[in-house]
Amino acid sequence: MSVNFRRPLISGNWKMNHNHFDAIQFVQKLAYLVTKEDFEVVDVSLNVPFTDIRSVQTLIDADELRFQLGAQHCHFEENGAFTGEVSAAMLSKLGVKTVIVGHSERREIFGESDETIYKKISAIVKCNMTPIICVGETQAERESGATEEKVLGQLRSALAQRSPEQVGKFVIAYEPIWAIGTGLTATAQDAQSVISAIRNEVLVLAGAEAAQSVRLQYGGSVKSSNIAEIMEQPDIDGVLVGGASLDPDEFARIVRYRLLA
Ligand code: 13P
């Protein structure tokens, strides 16, 4: 589908990296490298560990930085006896704007089900934050031709019974599991093909307006050497970057992909 008028969203998923001292240094350095002109044309979210959130928020506020503060996880209840958990309400109080949900590492290592993910998305939306909903297939599923079945199944589960207005504001990240942290990247054309299937499914589930405004990211071994080609694809509106988001120089090159030859 389409002329791409959606604002690109470049997200750094730090995973369990960078303590709050590292985080402060990182954000200060990135703030030098990313210019006002960049923010005219691109949104940038920093999805940092819980322990970094307050430090990064303070810096963003004090220096009026335009990075969007992000988290990687939350619990779906507002409060209660859930030892070790953090609620969406607590994150929103800290100025968090985006929360990653359904990441394959949460699904696989921590056993999060489609049902849990559904509830988390509802909690995130209730607190006026944007979910970055991750979907993706394993190597075996790809090899057996089951990519779309898996990805669209996860998508249908996440979007069931949601209003078109809500869905239009979501971010959905297609992250093929075999491309995460492996150095293997889906070709830009393969990523475009699955992501365009996602947009078509959003059209079926939530209508044309939602399909035109929902932002679709690619994630999996994104770096400055492949970002330009990925972002050229008509249905790809951004990227969710793991390893390459940990170094401010490299992440700045990714954010400024339009300047790469
Ligand atoms: P890498 O960029 O390290 O492959 O990680 C991708 C990812 O999981 C982002 O959420």
Side-chain angles (χ1 to χ4, degrees), residues 21-36:
F21 294 113
D22 303 330
I24 291 168
Q25 279 192 343
F26 177 101
V27 174
Q28 282 173 335
K29 176 136 199 220
L30 191 68
Y32 273 107
L33 297 169
V34 177
T35 66
K36 228 170 71 196

Side-chain angles (χ1 to χ4, degrees), residues 13 15 103 105 175 179-181 220-222 240-243:
N13 174 10
K15 307 192 179 183
H103 193 282
E105 285 150 19
E175 297 209 307
I180 295 177
S221 299
V222 173
L240 183 54
V241 188

Side-chain angles (χ1 to χ4, degrees), residues 11-15 100 103-105 132 134 173 175-184 217-223 239-246:
S11 300
N13 174 10
W14 289 3
K15 307 192 179 183
I100 297 172
H103 193 282
S104 60
E105 285 150 19
I132 299 179
C134 301
E175 297 209 307
I177 295 167
W178 49 271
I180 295 177
T182 56
L184 299 171
Q217 291 180 318
Y218 167 78
S221 299
V222 173
K223 38 194 179 294
V239 285
L240 183 54
V241 188
S245 76
L246 295 174

Side-chain angles (χ1 to χ4, degrees), residues 159 162-165 167-168 200-211:
L159 301 191
R162 300 202 190 273
S163 72
E165 292 72 32
V167 173
N200 279 325
E201 191 64 21
V202 173
L203 178 75
V204 171
L205 296 168
E209 263 183 54

